[in-house]
Amino acid sequence: MSGTSFGLRWTLAGALILGSAFSAFAQEDAFKSFRQLDSTGKMPKLNAFSAVPAGPAGTAAKDVLFDARLTADGEVMQEGLAWRVFSPIAGDDGKLPLVASSEGGSAAFQLMPGDYFVNCAFGRAGVTKKLTVPADGSVPKQTLVLDAGGFVLNAVAGADQRIPPNELSFSIYSSEVRENGDRALVMSDVKPNTVVRLNAGTYHVVSEYGDVNAVVRADIQVEAGKLTQAVLQHRAAQIALKLVSQPGGEAIADTAWSVLTAAGDIVNESVSAFSTMVLAEGEYLAVARNKNKIYQREFTVKAGRNVEVEVLMRETPQMAGSAKALSDRN
């Protein structure tokens, strides 16, 4: 069992087009260990690398011990840390030379007297400290406070419709907006149920459901020493289009599809008998082209209601019809 313990906080983020709303559930002590970014098993401590440079005659390297905590009063962390010790003098390539490194929990290095920069990373969280190793006397143990936590992201469609994980992705941005209106990207293509470790603070999360226009945003707070479970709500659903000669008929092959918004903007195009996509809630027009003939039909997307939309092969545009619920694919 890891020596790092966390409280678990559930957050339901109902993300709207231009903002987000949160409903925080009670905290509980559930996640007893905060594992590494990919949520795999415990990382074993690796042998430390320590390149001890030659010093003046009679000068000996000093033993220096390091440990880290998520909060000032938290327990010493036993796994998931990456330690790097750098010389403060840049090399010919302009980079600070790496003097020593270690991965796992606490670290022990032998360092010659002098100045160093020590970096401790925990996923995307990290802290850097300047260290001076004196020529005389011992060096006290160095404890770094990461001030870090993390979250696990997921999403639902509508109130509680489960979304297949392979159709979801998240991007994490800084909460600060630059002068040009952009935000700094922290992580991209984060999969659902992935533990993301970050420095404490507020982050702007963008969730994409499918690859058309179902996108929601939410600002999520990362608290030091806590793991937050955040669930975003998509106002979207999965739609399957098919061109048929009669209601309930077989889908006609080699059909070119265009899907337009109520304003006339094209949001998706494809060629197939079945055209399946995820669309944000709203009014749409499906246009089917087959053998130089065009058929169309208006349809409505409601959050969390996956439907199959049939477009009938008639000479006049079809602006109405029935839609039947897709069988539960989950």
Side-chain angles (χ1 to χ4, degrees), residues 17 157-158 161 163 209 212-215 234-241 258-262 267-268 275-286 297-310 321-326:
I17 295 177
Q161 177 68 38
I163 298 175
Y209 175 21
V212 182
N213 65 348
V215 179
H234 276 275
R235 306 295 301 175
Q238 187 180 85
I239 305 299
L241 303 175
S258 295
V259 178
L260 291 73
T261 65
V267 294
N268 191 59
S275 181
T276 303
M277 70 205 75
V278 175
L279 296 173
E281 194 172 55
E283 303 291 332
Y284 295 89
L285 177 67
R297 175 186 164 184
E298 291 179 340
F299 65 96
T300 300
V301 176
K302 296 184 178 180
R305 295 184 58 184
N306 299 339
V307 298
E308 185 178 274
V309 177
E310 294 182 346
S322 60
K324 59 183 180 179
L326 281 172

Side-chain angles (χ1 to χ4, degrees), residues 104-128:
S106 301
F109 300 116
Q110 284 191 321
L111 301 174
M112 295 296 294
D115 294 329
Y116 300 91
F117 287 117
V118 180
N119 175 264
C120 179
F122 182 57
R124 294 302 176 112
V127 62
T128 300

Side-chain angles (χ1 to χ4, degrees), residues 58-323:
T59 302
K62 305 283 186 177
D63 291 325
V64 187
L65 302 179
F66 297 89
D67 61 30
R69 305 169 188 263
L70 287 177
T71 60
D73 58 352
E75 297 179 2
V76 173
M77 302 179 66
Q78 303 298 326
E79 63 173 298
L81 300 177
W83 295 92
R84 301 291 184 269
V85 181
F86 298 91
S87 168
I89 302 174
D92 295 337
D93 58 359
K95 298 180 180 180
L96 299 182
L98 178 65
V99 175
S101 66
S102 179
E103 297 188 20
S106 301
F109 300 116
Q110 284 191 321
L111 301 174
M112 295 296 294
D115 294 329
Y116 300 91
F117 287 117
V118 180
N119 175 264
C120 179
F122 182 57
R124 294 302 176 112
V127 62
T128 300
K129 176 182 180 179
K130 184 177 181 180
L131 171 68
T132 298
V133 177
D136 299 319
S138 60
V139 182
K141 179 185 288 187
Q142 304 294 305
T143 297
L144 279 66
V145 178
L146 290 165
D147 189 31
F151 49 58
V152 178
L153 302 172
N154 214 319
V156 295
D160 58 4
Q161 177 68 38
R162 178 184 176 274
I163 298 175
N166 61 352
E167 295 183 10
L168 271 178
S169 67
F170 300 89
S171 296
I172 303 169
Y173 295 87
S174 167
S175 62
E176 298 180 358
V177 180
R178 299 168 175 168
E179 292 183 0
N180 62 1
D182 293 336
R183 301 174 187 264
L185 178 64
V186 178
M187 294 181 67
S188 62
D189 196 26
V190 177
K191 299 304 180 184
N193 300 316
T194 298
V195 176
V196 180
R197 303 171 297 185
L198 298 164
N199 288 108
T202 302
Y203 295 86
H204 187 75
V205 176
V206 178
S207 173
E208 295 181 77
Y209 175 21
D211 56 7
V212 182
N213 65 348
V215 179
V216 293
R217 302 169 182 268
D219 289 332
I220 299 177
Q221 181 74 29
V222 173
E223 298 182 42
K226 295 185 182 297
L227 182 65
T228 299
Q229 293 270 6
V231 179
L232 282 71
Q233 290 180 304
H234 276 275
R235 306 295 301 175
Q238 187 180 85
I239 305 299
L241 303 175
K242 68 174 185 176
L243 179 66
V244 296
S245 59
Q246 60 184 2
E250 294 293 326
I252 306 300
D254 300 323
T255 300
W257 293 95
S258 295
V259 178
L260 291 73
T261 65
D265 299 320
I266 297 176
V267 294
N268 191 59
E269 292 184 309
S270 63
V271 178
S272 62
F274 272 97
S275 181
T276 303
M277 70 205 75
V278 175
L279 296 173
E281 194 172 55
E283 303 291 332
Y284 295 89
L285 177 67
V287 179
R289 292 180 293 277
N290 185 274
K291 296 182 179 179
N292 297 321
K293 292 187 177 181
I294 296 177
Y295 312 92
Q296 62 185 34
R297 175 186 164 184
E298 291 179 340
F299 65 96
T300 300
V301 176
K302 296 184 178 180
R305 295 184 58 184
N306 299 339
V307 298
E308 185 178 274
V309 177
E310 294 182 346
V311 178
L312 295 179
M313 297 182 69
R314 295 178 179 172
E315 292 299 328
T316 56
Q318 300 304 306
M319 309 304 289
S322 60

